[in-house]
Amino acid sequence: MTSLAETRRRAVGPAPAARRRGAFLLATIAVVALSVVLSLALGSRWVTLQEVLDGLSAWFEGRTAQQIGAIAVQERIPRTVLALIAGAALGLSGAVMQAVTRNPIADPGILGVNTGAALFVVCGIAFLGINATWQYLVLALVGGTLAAVFVYVVGSLGPGGSTPIKLALAGAATTAALSSLVSAVLLPRIAAMDAFRFWQVGGVAGADWSSLGLITPLLVVAAAVAFLCAPTLNALALGDEVATGLGVNVTAGRLIASAAGVILCAAVTAIAGPIAFVGLMIPHVARLIFGPDQRWLLPICALGGAALLTVSDTIGRLIGSPGEVEAGIVTAFVGAPILVIIARRTRMRAL
């Protein structure tokens, strides 16, 4: 029989956990809000909080600010919005891919999605002369999708099907091969290299409202699909056999969630370049705080990714002033040690 103490503990147990998660969620939202203020206020010219408010007020009213500080704020709004949207999409994409593959080091960069998108964009620049945002978007989506499918097929070959280790190895090999193809296409074509090299680093400096308007509806739909897949991802974490026993269509669920993750990553890559490590770092930090429940993890990864990329862009502007260091370089500088730590911890567990 269940004791009275056990019954009471089970009855009151979830409430403190929910309150703790709610408190962390509010803290994450506050961090995102702070990152927005810092992004608008800091750069080659620092502005005051009052100038930030004046610039935002003028922008909402559809007029041009008069003070130079407020004008600087208005010019920073598009890149801040892009950093928020791109970071949220990359954090969400990384969480989905880690859940689908059950691999703690899976992210769009490691699984070849970024490089596949980059290869198709390079070929479009070199051979088709593309220069419109929608052309970048189409090619990035096609390239990222084909790369993801190829990695999954290769990682599923042989006994045991698609294991986390096989997917990671297939992704690493595919990334290396596609990177070589990118170099092979670019090296003899100086003009294409000049057009590509700024995009390749990854950043949000070239944000404009037309490109944001193009990708935002696609990202909203993909994010909604990812959130709806949260119960399926929770079931997949228990293993395919258990998920099937719970009534989950494993193949369909994995394909739908993977498609959402690829679209989230490829659409961002089309206009911001292949920004690495956001999708790798954020899910690990979120799991440490919120646990493995995807219903909490996915929105937290979106918020955390938005904050990380926005802060990285701000840091890049500060350390590179009067120029700037692209956000993709900052995230790589922060993410490389994190990847080493994750790899060491994973290896120790395997031993």
Side-chain angles (χ1 to χ4, degrees):
M1 293 180 63
T2 303
S3 66
L4 180 61
E6 254 181 38
T7 304
R8 184 176 299 169
R9 186 168 58 251
R10 289 178 182 177
V12 302
R19 285 197 297 267
R20 186 174 65 252
R21 287 173 173 173
F24 278 120
L25 178 61
L26 292 176
T28 305
I29 295 173
V31 170
V32 174
L34 178 61
S35 70
V36 170
V37 174
L38 293 176
S39 177
L40 295 175
L42 304 181
S44 57
R45 177 185 176 85
W46 291 32
V47 302
T48 65
L49 180 59
Q50 184 59 50
E51 288 174 319
V52 170
L53 295 177
D54 290 342
L56 288 174
S57 175
W59 180 75
F60 279 116
E61 293 173 3
R63 58 183 175 84
T64 303
Q66 301 301 317
Q67 298 177 343
I68 188 169
I71 294 173
V73 170
Q74 284 188 318
E75 292 178 348
R76 292 170 185 166
I77 291 176
R79 71 183 296 162
T80 301
V81 173
L82 177 57
L84 290 172
I85 292 175
L90 292 174
L92 185 57
S93 176
V96 169
M97 290 187 176
Q98 289 180 15
V100 167
T101 61
R102 287 183 292 164
N103 188 339
I105 62 171
D107 88 323
I110 292 176
L111 294 181
V113 178
N114 282 345
T115 316
L119 176 61
F120 271 62
V121 169
V122 165
C123 291
I125 293 172
F127 303 124
L128 303 177
I130 66 169
N131 53 23
T133 302
W134 70 268
Q135 295 171 322
Y136 280 79
L137 178 60
V138 171
L139 289 176
L141 286 172
V142 174
T145 301
L146 290 179
V149 171
F150 179 78
V151 168
Y152 185 78
V153 170
V154 172
S156 301
L157 297 176
S162 58
T163 65
I165 294 178
K166 288 166 66 177
L167 286 173
L169 291 174
T174 301
T175 298
L178 295 181
S179 297
S180 299
L181 289 176
V182 169
S183 300
V185 172
L186 286 178
L187 286 177
R189 298 170 177 85
I190 298 177
M193 184 179 292
D194 288 339
F196 177 73
R197 62 192 177 96
F198 294 106
W199 178 86
Q200 185 183 28
V201 173
V204 296
D208 60 76
W209 294 116
S210 62
S211 59
L212 283 168
L214 185 64
I215 69 164
T216 299
L218 190 63
L219 292 178
V220 169
V221 172
V225 171
F227 290 137
L228 291 174
C229 287
T232 300
L233 296 176
N234 281 336
L236 291 176
L238 303 175
D240 290 359
E241 293 183 0
V242 175
T244 302
L246 293 173
V248 174
N249 187 327
V250 172
T251 302
R254 185 171 277 125
L255 286 175
I256 293 172
S258 298
V262 170
I263 291 172
L264 286 167
C265 172
V268 169
T269 303
I271 64 170
I275 300 174
F277 291 108
V278 175
L280 176 64
M281 290 185 289
I282 294 300
H284 282 277
V285 176
R287 270 192 293 271
L288 288 175
I289 299 174
F290 290 90
D293 189 345
Q294 299 293 330
R295 294 171 299 178
W296 283 91
L297 194 65
L298 294 182
I300 290 300
C301 285
L303 291 171
L308 175 62
L309 189 56
T310 306
V311 171
S312 297
D313 179 52
T314 305
I315 292 173
R317 278 182 273 160
L318 292 177
I319 63 178
S321 182
E324 64 180 78
V325 176
E326 296 291 345
I329 297 176
V330 179
T331 58
F333 182 79
V334 175
I338 300 293
L339 178 60
V340 173
I341 293 171
I342 293 171
R344 286 176 60 85
R345 291 183 61 185
T346 303
R347 181 182 176 186
M348 289 175 65
R349 288 197 190 104
L351 292 173

